[in-house]
Amino acid sequence: MVGGGRIGEALVSGLLAGGRLARDLVITERFEDRGRELASEYGIRVTQSIADAAEGADVLVVAVKPNDVDSVLAEVAEYQETSDDDQLIVSLAAGITTARFEQLLPAGTAVVRVMPNTPMLVGQGASAITPGRRATAVHMDLVEELMGAVGMVRRVKESSMDAVTAVSGSGPAYFFLAIEAMVDSGVALGLARPVARDLAIQTLVGAGAMLAESGETATELRAAVMSPGGTTAAAIRQFEKDGLRSAFFEAMAVVRDRSAALGAVQEDGS
């Protein structure tokens, strides 16, 4: 695992919880204090050297910020050029295409790109995966298993990754904003903030569970809550009047376009 940040740590934690052995995992972390924290928490080996971590590894997960990808891959490439290891490279770096990874790594390197999201920190992630040119079905199965340790996984075409970012990658923030607004509104309407918070959060959790488990669509479940001329119908009319649907579409289109633009900048190396 190249990168001991929150996403890298979440995946390590999920893998250990899923039965992977601590001795089979290594993290590279450039900050010594953070490295000691990870080693103490999970009982795994932590090193500052990518070459050290990569030696003998079957899978190298790149879990760093997009701006750090080029320098990390330069170290990976330097190691691979003098090594006989046949490694799968898994990218958790937002916005960076498999083509960019393949451009910076030795010819023939297998790459799988992942778009995770932050609920993987509590084992409830939503990840999309897509193969590079050299990735095989076996590679995809392996990455699906790895990411399945921290949530659900779906396979998509790489051309859909910017849309994935708009839906699930950035999606948690949409719900956090909605809860923030609901809590503030509840307080304005007379509820104590802790009560408004607890009610709003549990409502989100319960609604999500109903969507996941009932087999009904969001439209069907919404209709079941709405009595003709009732309170919920009045709220939905107001949301529609205020353009909630179009606001969601415009915001998500902006995310898609921003994701594509960031990827293009990295492709150009500028």
Side-chain angles (χ1 to χ4, degrees), residues 158-198:
E158 187 154 20
S159 59
S160 297
M161 274 299 203
D162 294 322
V164 168
T165 302
V167 174
S168 58
S170 298
Y174 313 155
F175 292 105
F176 297 149
L177 178 61
I179 292 298
E180 183 182 343
M182 289 176 68
V183 172
D184 287 345
S185 297
V187 171
L189 293 171
L191 290 176
R193 184 167 293 275
V195 173
R197 177 184 181 276
D198 291 347

Side-chain angles (χ1 to χ4, degrees), residues 15-16 19-26 43-45 57-59:
L15 291 172
L16 292 171
R20 298 275 175 172
L21 300 178
R23 66 171 180 262
D24 292 333
L25 302 175
V26 182
I44 61 176
R45 188 165 70 86
D58 297 316
V59 180

Side-chain angles (χ1 to χ4, degrees), residues 234-252:
I236 297 301
R237 280 198 304 273
Q238 188 63 47
F239 280 134
E240 297 285 12
K241 180 181 177 181
D242 291 341
L244 181 66
R245 291 177 189 269
S246 61
F248 259 98
F249 176 79
E250 294 297 333
M252 292 171 70

Side-chain angles (χ1 to χ4, degrees), residues 4-251:
R6 297 183 73 199
I7 293 297
E9 180 185 3
L11 183 52
V12 165
S13 177
L15 291 172
L16 292 171
R20 298 275 175 172
L21 300 178
R23 66 171 180 262
D24 292 333
L25 302 175
V26 182
I27 293 181
T28 69
E29 173 54 51
R30 60 182 175 176
F31 297 108
E32 292 185 6
D33 289 347
R34 175 61 171 163
R36 284 192 292 268
E37 178 185 336
L38 292 168
S40 174
E41 178 70 21
Y42 299 106
I44 61 176
R45 188 165 70 86
V46 179
T47 177
Q48 291 182 312
S49 167
I50 291 176
D52 179 28
E55 186 174 0
D58 297 316
V59 180
L60 203 61
V61 179
V62 178
V64 299
K65 294 179 180 179
N67 289 342
D68 295 327
V69 165
D70 283 14
S71 61
V72 164
L73 293 186
E75 292 187 51
V76 173
E78 183 179 359
Y79 168 77
Q80 289 184 330
E81 286 170 355
T82 60
S83 169
D84 293 329
D85 293 339
D86 184 18
Q87 294 169 327
L88 169 64
I89 307 297
V90 178
S91 168
L92 271 61
I96 311 299
T97 65
T98 57
R100 179 63 174 170
F101 269 70
E102 291 165 350
Q103 177 186 354
L104 297 173
L105 293 169
T109 301
V111 178
V112 174
R113 178 183 172 188
V114 180
M115 182 66 235
N117 66 3
T118 55
M120 68 185 286
L121 295 164
V122 293
Q124 294 293 327
S127 298
I129 63 175
T130 194
R133 291 181 301 166
R134 304 295 182 182
T136 66
V138 172
H139 292 138
M140 290 292 284
D141 289 344
L142 175 56
V143 175
E144 186 166 348
E145 178 190 351
L146 292 174
M147 298 309 301
V150 289
M152 62 159 280
V153 183
R154 293 292 182 267
R155 302 185 185 196
V156 301
K157 296 179 180 179
E158 187 154 20
S159 59
S160 297
M161 274 299 203
D162 294 322
V164 168
T165 302
V167 174
S168 58
S170 298
Y174 313 155
F175 292 105
F176 297 149
L177 178 61
I179 292 298
E180 183 182 343
M182 289 176 68
V183 172
D184 287 345
S185 297
V187 171
L189 293 171
L191 290 176
R193 184 167 293 275
V195 173
R197 177 184 181 276
D198 291 347
L199 291 174
I201 291 173
Q202 185 55 40
T203 298
L204 176 64
V205 171
M210 289 181 70
L211 272 171
E213 299 171 13
S214 70
E216 296 182 84
T217 66
T219 301
E220 291 168 336
L221 290 172
R222 176 174 59 80
V225 180
M226 294 173 58
S227 300
T231 57
T232 306
I236 297 301
R237 280 198 304 273
Q238 188 63 47
F239 280 134
E240 297 285 12
K241 180 181 177 181
D242 291 341
L244 181 66
R245 291 177 189 269
S246 61
F248 259 98
F249 176 79
E250 294 297 333

